[in-house]
Amino acid sequence: MILIAQKTLPRHFKLEGQKNFLSLLPQLWQELEGIPHSLKNGENWLLSEEIIRYPSSNYSFDKLKLYLLSEHITRHSKKYIINLSLEITSNTKLLAKINLSLLSEDSWNEIIQKKSIRLI
């Protein structure tokens, strides 16, 4: 599991009260900085999303973390299946963990390795 990006919000961000807010949660990773634009919606197609934990009715959060779980190449089209995990927390308490599977034109592993090398 590789941390790709994280964002701490200056105050608790509330989704409660917004229409269909649960459907907005898997899209929050699009707001994270540090992810190349080519890896966002334009070059990826969402295959599946799953909210796997939601223990609280408090829908106020202060941190997002996006992890790359795995990536593998498809056999025929030479595209990539990307598995991500988005963690949504409030005061370090995990509120939701959302698994996303994407079909991507680009290899996320290669881009993340290049980004890491530039930081060193």
Side-chain angles (χ1 to χ4, degrees), residues 61-74:
F61 60 94
D62 60 7
K63 186 174 263 187
L64 300 172
K65 287 185 180 180
L66 184 68
Y67 294 95
L68 174 65
L69 299 177
S70 66
E71 169 185 301
H72 65 275
I73 193 165
T74 61

Side-chain angles (χ1 to χ4, degrees), residues 18-79:
Q18 292 188 26
K19 189 175 182 181
N20 301 320
F21 72 94
L22 283 177
S23 65
L24 297 174
L25 292 178
Q27 298 172 28
L28 287 174
W29 74 274
Q30 297 285 324
E31 304 301 319
L32 292 170
E33 297 169 3
I35 301 172
H37 184 69
S38 65
L39 297 183
K40 294 190 178 182
N41 269 340
E43 301 296 326
N44 295 283
W45 296 271
L46 182 64
L47 300 177
S48 68
E49 62 186 43
E50 178 186 18
I51 299 174
I52 59 173
R53 184 173 172 200
Y54 221 68
S56 173
S57 61
N58 175 11
Y59 301 114
S60 169
F61 60 94
D62 60 7
K63 186 174 263 187
L64 300 172
K65 287 185 180 180
L66 184 68
Y67 294 95
L68 174 65
L69 299 177
S70 66
E71 169 185 301
H72 65 275
I73 193 165
T74 61
R75 291 184 198 171
H76 303 292
S77 63
K78 298 203 176 182
K79 293 184 181 175

Side-chain angles (χ1 to χ4, degrees), residues 75-113:
R75 291 184 198 171
H76 303 292
S77 63
K78 298 203 176 182
K79 293 184 181 175
Y80 300 87
I81 303 292
I82 312 297
N83 294 304
L84 303 173
S85 178
L86 178 66
E87 291 184 356
I88 300 170
T89 60
S90 176
N91 295 325
T92 69
K93 180 183 176 189
L94 184 64
L95 298 178
K97 190 172 183 181
I98 300 166
N99 286 336
L100 303 163
S101 290
L102 309 173
L103 180 64
S104 179
E105 296 274 337
D106 298 312
S107 167
W108 282 47
N109 275 322
E110 289 174 15
I111 292 168
I112 289 167
Q113 287 174 2

Side-chain angles (χ1 to χ4, degrees), residues 5-20:
Q6 66 180 348
K7 183 174 188 171
T8 302
L9 303 166
R11 60 184 188 280
H12 287 277
F13 186 80
K14 283 191 176 250
L15 284 173
E16 191 172 25
Q18 292 188 26
K19 189 175 182 181
N20 301 320

